[in-house]
């Protein structure tokens, strides 16, 4: 089998170029002839210097070199060629007659590759030449391969270095990206946290919000369904007059107030937590604009919720200072005891609302614990609403008149008209119950006008009696805010006055201070028009609403009516007495007269008299009377104090 890497004879012959150096012409001839015959290219040199020149002219592939030459010996030529980079690899075969071991060694030491002894055998020469050319060719191939390998190795090394560099760069980038990503992730986490915070908390107070409360209630209810003994309380605080503050002082003040309220509630809850009589878990939430809720869980009974509600209320009694004003906040509190009878949070909110509503309507309690009677009441309200719509057509309303008496003399000063509803199946329904519903449903507008109409008609019937010598008696009519705010209120009033032909001096309108505070602009306008007609005005239920004494002088009213809740507590030596006394002083300073409402005892009469209160109204003198009894009362009172009064009038 032929080795494909071996150079074939033919290809070698065509390329191989041999230099024969010999000073013997016969040798030269014979050798060159033989080699040319073999297909080699042959050049000849007869001495050393010629040989070197020939080599320089064109490098031979092999040199047959005689040792004995005329100018230098073959060893010197060989050594010289071996020293030059370009010629050192040319294989040199020594040809000599010096067949001694010493010379052969020298020949090899000088760099020769073979040695042929003279007289030579042609086949030997050919074989040695061919061998050396082969070796040389293989050597060249090897060298080439080596070079290629070298290149590959250096390429690989370069590639490896590059790969290492790339790896390093990559690692560096991975590191950088990782730290970037870590930063991004932590930023995202922070954003996520912020978003969650915004989603679950009120932005003003930072307290958990409605969404949070609903989720928490769902959890508590689901637990209550597993553990039937489990009870928890939801205390909902509803601000009484936030809207007024927001409307009068502006949103920013409103916000400031709410966050102050939030702070007070937080610290109240915190102290409650420290006091261990309360349940372990108390959570305060801010779940509507002016609504806060507190969760207590678990609880044994409603008492700890009530205790906390009282604490909360206490914490809110001192004034808040907003824009250098003192502002008092009052809350109505609804408490719901959560247990397995509740299915969803909305049911708890519904019942809490009902309890709050009841607290609002109650004069003695600012808090209420929800129970089924409250729910029944709510249902009743719904029924009343339906029946109210028909009552006016069916003429189920009528008026009562409660005398107002001069405290000093006991003479009658006038009457307050009070509407009555005789319901066909439910019997007498208190106006305290149906008036608020009529207001909510706007039924107060036709009802109010009917009342005004009736009252004026009564005035016109009683006119001569009312027009007694010294006294000009007045009939007071309660006017609801809704009526007052109506565009054509004055117009309608004028119409009624015209239709009934009454003397206007007998008419007085009672409006509440909350009406004045809530709608100062409208109040200003309407009051101006009333004053232009010389219609008198009284502020009703004074002390229960905004009680902003400093606002009072702005409105030209005639009378202040101190609310029954203060008068009824006059006997006790408490805050109520102070308020009544202060109100009297203020009212007199402003030039108003004062009617004390709900006077029931002699003691109250004496006290009020002593403080200079002008008038009183209450069961002590008379209950609200129907029109005939009222006229009889008027007649006998006038008779008693003015015996000369014309009875026939
Ligand atoms: P108000 O205007 O403060 O009326 C006085 C209330 O106190 C009346 O209750 C009267 O019956 C009651 N009262 C008078 N003296 C005494 C007393 O010595 N002791 C006690 N415990 N109560 C006394 P009433 O008639 O139930 O009216 C309740 C409220 O309903 C009124 O409070 C008023 O706000 C409203 N209201 C009554 N009639 C009308 C009306 O014709 N129009 C309007 N808009 N509201 C009315
Ligand atoms: Ca009144
Ligand atoms: Ca009143």
């Amino acid at each position: 089998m032929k080795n494909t890497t071996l150079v074939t004879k033919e290809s070698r012959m065509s390329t191989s170029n041999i230099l024969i150096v010999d000073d013997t012409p016969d040798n030269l001839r014979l050798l060159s002839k033989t080699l040319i015959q073999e297909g080699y290219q042959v050049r000849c040199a007869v001495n050393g210097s010629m040989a070197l020149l020939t080599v320089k002219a064109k490098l031979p592939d092999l040199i047959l070199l005689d040792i004995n030459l005329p100018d230098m010996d073959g060893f010197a030529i060989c050594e010289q060629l071996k020293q030059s980079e370009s010629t050192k690899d040319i294989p040199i075969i020594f040809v000599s007659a010096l067949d001694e071991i010493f010379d052969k060694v020298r020949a090899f030491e000088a760099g020769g590759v073979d040695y042929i002894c003279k007289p030579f055998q042609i086949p030997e020469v050919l074989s040695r030449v061919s061998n050396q050319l082969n070796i040389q060719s293989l050597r060249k191939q090897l060298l080439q391969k080596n070079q290629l390998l070298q290149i590959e190795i250096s390429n690989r090394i370069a590639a490896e270095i590059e790969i290492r560099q790339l790896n390093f760069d990559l690692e560096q980038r991975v590191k950088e990206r990782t730290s970037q990503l870590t930063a991004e992730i932590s930023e995202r986490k922070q954003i996520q946290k912020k978003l969650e915070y915004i989603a679950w908390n009120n932005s003003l107070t930072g307290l958990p919000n409605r969404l949070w409360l609903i989720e928490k209630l769902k959890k508590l209810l689901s637990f209550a369904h597993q553990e039937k003994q489990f009870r928890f309380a939801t205390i909902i605080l509803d601000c009484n007059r936030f809207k007024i503050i927001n409307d009068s002082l502006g949103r920013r003040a409103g916000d400031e107030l709410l966050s102050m309220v939030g702070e007070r509630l937080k610290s109240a809850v915190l102290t409650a937590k420290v006091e261990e009589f309360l349940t372990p878990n108390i959570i305060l939430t801010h779940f509507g604009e002016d609504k806060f809720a507190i969760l207590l869980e678990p609880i044994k009974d409603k008492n700890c919720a009530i205790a906390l509600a009282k604490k909360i209320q206490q914490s809110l009694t001192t004034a808040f200072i907003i824009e250098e004003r003192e502002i008092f906040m009052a809350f109505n509190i609804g408490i719901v005891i959560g247990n397995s009878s509740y299915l969803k949070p909305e049911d708890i909110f519904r019942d809490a609302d009902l309890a709050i509503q009841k607290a609002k309507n109650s004069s003695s309690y600012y808090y209420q614990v929800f129970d089924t009677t409250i729910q029944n009441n709510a249902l009743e309200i719904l029924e009343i609403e339906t029946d109210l719509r028909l009552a006016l057509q069916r003429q189920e309303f009528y008026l009562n008149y409660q005398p107002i008496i001069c405290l000093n003399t006991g003479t009658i000063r006038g009457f307050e008209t009070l509407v009555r509803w005789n319901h066909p199946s439910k019997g007498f329904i208190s106006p305290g119950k149906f008036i608020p519903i009529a207001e909510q449903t706007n039924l107060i507008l036709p009802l109010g006008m009917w009342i005004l109409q009736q009252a004026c008609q009564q005035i016109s019937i009683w006119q001569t009696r009312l027009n007694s010598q010294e006294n000009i008696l007045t009939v007071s009519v309660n006017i609801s805010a809704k009526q007052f705010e109506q565009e054509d209120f004055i117009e309608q009033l004028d119409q009624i006055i015209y239709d009934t032909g009454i003397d206007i001096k007998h008419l007085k309108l009672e409006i509440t201070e909350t009406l004045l505070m809530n709608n100062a602009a409208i109040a200003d306008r309407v009051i101006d028009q009333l004053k232009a007609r010389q219609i008198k005005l009284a502020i009703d239920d004074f002390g229960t609403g905004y009680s902003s004494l400093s606002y009072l002088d702005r409105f030209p009213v005639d009378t202040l009516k101190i609310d029954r809740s203060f008068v009824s507590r006059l006997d006790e030596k408490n805050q109520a007495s102070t308020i009544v006394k202060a109100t009297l002083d203020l009212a007199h300073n402003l030039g108003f007269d004062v009617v004390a409402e709900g006077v029931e005892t002699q003691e109250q009469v004496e006290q009020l008299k002593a403080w200079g209160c002008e008038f009183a109204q209450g069961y002590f003198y008379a209950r609200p009377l129907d029109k005939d009894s009222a006229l009889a009362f008027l007649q006998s009172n006038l008779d008693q104090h003015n015996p000369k009064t014309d009875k026939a009038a």
Side-chain angles (χ1 to χ4, degrees):
M1 208 166 56
K2 253 190 181 171
N3 189 339
T4 49
T5 60
L6 287 180
V7 181
T8 60
K9 192 179 170 191
E10 291 71 27
S11 70
R12 190 189 65 232
M13 281 193 310
S14 63
T15 53
S16 297
N17 157 345
I18 297 170
L19 172 65
I20 307 166
V21 185
D22 205 321
D23 58 340
T24 316
D26 287 348
N27 279 351
L28 274 179
R29 211 174 299 123
L30 176 64
L31 275 174
S32 63
K33 187 181 159 207
T34 317
L35 288 171
I36 288 167
Q37 272 172 358
E38 279 299 307
Y40 296 109
Q41 291 174 16
V42 176
R43 286 180 294 162
C44 295
V46 289
N47 56 37
S49 47
M50 189 179 164
L52 290 173
L53 278 172
T54 316
V55 168
K56 234 185 195 174
K58 185 186 175 190
L59 291 179
D61 293 312
L62 186 132
I63 301 172
L64 286 171
L65 182 59
D66 190 14
I67 292 173
N68 277 329
L69 292 168
D71 52 350
M72 54 178 81
D73 69 12
F75 298 126
I77 297 172
C78 184
E79 275 161 2
Q80 208 171 321
L81 289 173
K82 290 298 157 193
Q83 272 163 18
S84 160
E85 189 59 32
S86 59
T87 54
K88 75 175 183 356
D89 289 333
I90 302 170
I92 296 171
I93 300 174
F94 285 101
V95 185
S96 176
L98 301 173
D99 189 12
E100 286 172 19
I101 192 82
F102 170 76
D103 294 307
K104 287 179 186 168
V105 170
R106 218 181 135 201
F108 284 120
E109 275 176 355
V113 289
D114 208 351
Y115 194 97
I116 300 170
C117 290
K118 287 180 189 172
F120 45 71
Q121 305 289 311
I122 286 300
E124 186 196 345
V125 172
L126 288 176
S127 155
R128 286 192 193 265
V129 165
S130 161
N131 276 348
Q132 281 313 318
L133 283 171
N134 256 338
I135 288 171
Q136 175 67 352
S137 162
L138 287 172
R139 216 174 69 90
K140 273 188 184 164
Q141 279 181 31
L142 212 67
L143 232 118
Q144 262 177 357
K145 284 233 167 113
N146 255 352
Q147 270 171 357
L148 286 175
L149 265 173
Q150 209 63 44
I151 291 170
E152 207 178 310
I153 285 171
S154 58
N155 279 349
R156 289 216 179 156
I157 287 173
E160 214 162 88
I161 289 172
E162 201 178 335
I163 286 173
R164 255 188 234 154
Q165 185 59 40
L166 284 174
N167 260 346
F168 178 78
D169 288 352
L170 197 71
E171 266 171 30
Q172 211 56 28
R173 269 163 56 189
V174 166
K175 263 187 206 162
E176 275 169 27
R177 192 74 193 116
T178 311
S179 76
Q180 255 176 17
L181 280 176
T182 323
E184 267 173 37
I185 287 171
S186 83
E187 195 183 338
R188 271 199 204 162
K189 271 188 189 159
Q190 268 178 333
I191 291 174
Q192 181 75 18
K193 257 191 189 167
K194 244 186 215 167
L195 284 177
E196 265 174 31
Y197 182 84
I198 291 170
W200 295 108
N201 291 276
N202 182 287
S203 56
L204 209 58
T205 52
L207 289 167
N209 62 12
R210 182 181 184 87
L211 202 66
W212 187 93
L213 180 63
I214 289 175
E215 286 310 307
K216 179 71 182 176
L217 284 174
K218 279 183 190 162
K219 281 185 200 145
L220 290 174
L221 286 179
S222 103
F223 187 68
H225 286 115
Q226 289 161 25
E227 297 283 328
K228 299 288 180 210
Q229 304 304 317
F230 179 69
R231 298 274 179 280
F232 66 95
T234 311
I235 303 175
I236 292 189
L237 312 157
D238 182 43
C239 178
N240 267 348
R241 48 169 79 129
F242 180 69
K243 196 181 161 328
I244 304 175
I245 288 151
N246 228 3
D247 291 349
S248 54
L249 299 182
R251 247 208 111 74
R252 191 187 293 183
D255 283 354
E256 198 184 331
L257 180 65
L258 281 179
S259 55
M260 286 167 111
V261 169
E263 288 310 312
R264 285 239 189 127
L265 291 176
K266 277 180 209 169
S267 64
V269 164
L270 211 67
T271 21
K273 273 184 186 169
V274 176
E275 293 168 6
E276 284 171 2
F277 74 93
L278 281 168
T279 182
N281 286 323
I282 312 175
I283 309 158
L284 173 65
T285 69
H286 184 176
F287 84 108
E289 186 177 32
D290 56 346
K291 279 191 174 162
F292 293 85
I294 300 166
L295 289 177
L296 288 182
E297 52 107 359
I299 55 160
K300 276 201 209 94
D301 53 37
K302 63 181 179 184
N303 290 333
C304 64
I306 294 174
L308 183 59
K310 286 181 177 167
K311 268 184 185 304
I312 295 287
Q313 183 68 14
Q314 247 170 28
S315 77
L316 295 167
T317 46
T318 45
F320 293 89
I321 312 290
I322 304 277
E323 292 173 2
E324 294 173 8
R325 278 169 205 267
E326 282 200 338
I327 289 175
F328 290 91
M329 288 288 277
F331 281 89
N332 289 303
I333 301 178
I335 301 171
V336 176
I337 305 303
N339 53 37
S340 59
S341 72
Y342 283 99
L343 293 179
K344 44 189 198 305
E346 289 75 15
D347 300 342
I348 291 182
F349 291 144
R350 178 203 58 212
D351 288 353
D353 275 346
L354 291 173
I356 287 171
Q357 209 50 49
K358 182 162 183 212
K360 263 187 194 161
N361 296 335
S362 153
S363 51
S364 32
Y365 287 101
Y366 52 82
Y367 71 86
Q368 285 293 329
V369 182
F370 175 81
D371 60 33
T372 45
T373 55
I374 292 183
Q375 193 173 27
N376 294 340
N377 275 346
L379 289 174
E380 198 190 344
I381 286 173
L382 206 68
E383 281 175 27
I384 289 178
E385 193 184 313
T386 321
D387 294 345
L388 258 179
R389 295 177 189 274
L390 297 166
L392 205 58
Q393 295 167 22
R394 292 187 188 157
Q395 300 188 323
E396 290 166 10
F397 296 111
Y398 60 94
L399 295 188
N400 265 186
Y401 303 85
Q402 187 174 31
I404 297 168
I405 306 294
C406 173
L407 269 164
N408 264 336
T409 61
T411 51
I412 187 163
R413 168 63 179 220
F415 293 100
E416 177 180 3
T417 57
L418 293 160
V419 70
R420 296 290 172 256
W421 181 13
N422 195 3
H423 188 280
S425 59
K426 293 195 173 83
F428 176 78
I429 298 176
S430 147
K433 197 176 236 171
F434 71 80
I435 291 287
I437 302 171
E439 280 175 338
Q440 277 165 31
T441 53
N442 278 346
L443 285 165
I444 193 71
L445 299 177
L447 177 61
M449 276 307 147
W450 179 86
I451 292 166
L452 202 55
Q453 158 82 34
Q454 290 291 304
C456 288
Q457 222 160 334
Q458 203 56 61
I459 293 173
S460 91
I461 295 169
W462 290 343
Q463 206 130 264
T464 26
R465 287 280 181 276
L466 293 170
N467 218 349
S468 67
Q469 299 152 352
E470 298 135 61
N471 287 319
I472 297 164
L473 302 180
T474 56
V475 175
S476 304
V477 181
N478 291 290
I479 303 293
S480 119
K482 278 265 167 76
Q483 286 175 272
F484 212 71
E485 286 164 13
Q486 261 208 313
E487 283 278 310
D488 59 350
F489 172 68
I490 293 286
E491 235 171 87
Q492 294 193 47
L493 183 64
D494 283 345
Q495 189 64 46
I496 291 171
I497 291 166
Y498 177 80
D499 290 345
T500 51
I502 61 163
D503 185 345
I504 214 134
K505 63 180 184 247
H506 297 303
L507 182 64
K508 192 182 263 185
L509 302 183
E510 291 191 6
I511 54 175
T512 61
E513 55 175 333
T514 342
L515 181 154
L516 292 181
M517 302 317 302
N518 284 0
N519 315 283
I522 298 177
D524 270 334
R525 176 173 57 77
V526 181
I527 289 174
D528 280 351
Q529 288 174 292
L530 292 174
K531 283 291 120 186
R533 288 161 177 72
Q534 295 189 311
I535 296 173
K536 294 187 199 70
L537 268 179
I539 295 186
D540 204 0
D541 305 340
F542 189 80
T544 57
Y546 204 59
S547 304
S548 178
L549 300 172
S550 54
Y551 260 58
L552 271 185
D553 62 341
R554 172 173 168 183
F555 300 107
V557 297
D558 305 277
T559 305
L560 212 66
K561 295 187 80 172
I562 300 181
D563 192 68
R564 196 176 80 221
S565 56
F566 299 102
V567 176
S568 66
R569 287 182 291 150
L570 262 190
D571 316 327
E572 310 155 27
K573 287 277 164 281
N574 55 21
Q575 219 187 357
S577 310
T578 325
I579 292 173
V580 171
K581 175 82 170 67
T583 308
L584 279 163
D585 290 346
L586 176 97
H588 292 148
N589 278 337
L590 294 172
F592 310 152
D593 54 41
V594 178
V595 178
E597 291 187 311
V599 175
E600 293 183 353
T601 66
Q602 184 70 48
E603 288 76 22
Q604 289 164 356
V605 171
E606 295 311 325
Q607 183 64 83
L608 289 162
K609 249 197 220 174
W611 283 338
C613 178
E614 288 90 349
F615 305 104
Q617 171 187 357
Y619 297 170
F620 180 75
Y621 297 103
R623 290 187 172 250
L625 308 166
D626 62 47
K627 60 178 194 300
D628 298 330
S629 314
L631 182 64
F633 185 94
L634 172 67
Q635 194 59 62
S636 89
N637 182 280
L638 290 180
D639 286 350
Q640 203 179 324
H641 296 280
N642 298 299
K644 284 171 252 150
T645 311
D646 181 4
K647 284 183 189 178

